[in-house]
Amino acid sequence: MRNIVLVGFMGTGKTTVAKELAQRLKREYVSLDELIEKVEKKPITQIFAESGEDYFRALESRVIKEVSAKENLIIDAGGGAMLRRENIENFKKKGILICLKAKPEVILERTKGYKHRPLLNVSNPQKQIEKLLWIREPYYAQADHFIDTSQLSVEEIVGEILEILKKYNA
Ligand code: S3P
């Protein structure tokens, strides 16, 4: 069966939804961020601080290539995973790309209590969120399906994804 890849900006609900979906469908959940941390044996904030974003992105692409060769997975992708064309191509080989979206104010609310996202550890996270959303829009637009999670519960989001999957018999 094709992989289901949840992509989209930080704070749109990818991790929570992917875990719930995996449970519902009795399929394996894979977090790319967790795999990267396992490979490097350090948290993402430390990878960014010590080696920089380019290094992280290269590692992310490597992990995406490996994971995308498998099947039947629910993949929880990091918010920047769509920024490289090769990643999108790898995801699409065996996967259905579902992009979760949310309004900037909702993203701010959902992310503000956490410090594990280096790109949002800035003095004005709201501005940063708006800027990155604008820059990334054309990349996220390459997903196959889109769900705005701003007003939805996890249950409702999972329900929408199950509807989408019916079309694929996946
Ligand atoms: C990033 C998103 C993060 C993580 C890293 C970079 C991004 O994942 O991969 O901090 O560039 O948007 P989440 O979207 O799971 O927070």
Side-chain angles (χ1 to χ4, degrees):
M1 274 210 243
R2 294 175 75 172
N3 295 320
I4 299 162
V5 190
L6 293 189
V7 298
F9 202 78
M10 299 169 268
T12 53
K14 298 181 299 279
T15 302
T16 314
V17 171
K19 284 182 176 166
E20 182 62 29
L21 193 63
Q23 244 183 12
R24 281 283 200 92
L25 298 175
K26 298 190 170 45
R27 289 168 68 166
E28 189 185 340
Y29 163 84
V30 175
S31 156
L32 299 180
D33 283 349
E34 274 176 19
L35 282 179
I36 293 166
E37 291 184 332
K38 225 183 252 175
V39 171
E40 285 293 282
K41 299 188 182 66
K42 45 178 109 145
I44 285 168
T45 40
Q46 201 179 338
I47 303 173
F48 266 70
E50 290 177 4
S51 313
E53 182 170 349
D54 287 351
Y55 180 86
F56 173 82
R57 296 292 171 212
L59 211 57
E60 186 175 48
S61 293
R62 216 177 79 201
V63 168
I64 289 172
K65 192 171 178 196
E66 276 170 30
V67 170
S68 298
K70 301 181 182 175
E71 290 175 350
N72 215 17
L73 303 174
I74 309 294
I75 301 175
D76 172 12
M82 295 289 279
L83 298 176
R84 287 190 176 191
R85 188 209 290 248
E86 60 172 297
N87 296 346
I88 300 180
E89 286 170 359
N90 280 325
F91 281 146
K92 286 198 173 181
K93 278 182 195 152
K94 294 184 177 193
I96 302 164
L97 268 70
I98 300 179
C99 179
L100 302 188
K101 299 191 149 202
K103 294 192 180 72
E105 58 271 24
V106 174
I107 291 172
L108 180 67
E109 201 51 41
R110 288 181 186 160
T111 55
K112 71 180 184 192
Y114 301 94
K115 284 276 163 255
H116 65 281
R117 295 183 176 99
L119 295 177
L120 298 184
N121 289 340
V122 294
S123 56
N124 190 340
Q126 183 174 344
K127 226 176 176 180
Q128 172 81 330
I129 289 167
E130 283 164 7
K131 181 180 135 197
L132 288 178
L133 278 174
W134 187 79
I135 293 172
R136 291 177 174 190
E137 180 51 37
Y139 299 94
Y140 293 139
Q142 294 173 67
D144 301 309
H145 300 276
F146 305 88
I147 302 172
D148 187 334
T149 68
S150 301
Q151 315 269 11
L152 300 180
S153 67
V154 176
E155 272 307 298
E156 288 169 328
I157 303 164
V158 169
E160 289 209 12
I161 295 175
L162 295 178
E163 276 304 309
I164 290 170
L165 296 180
K166 278 186 193 163
K167 293 189 207 129
Y168 291 88
N169 274 334

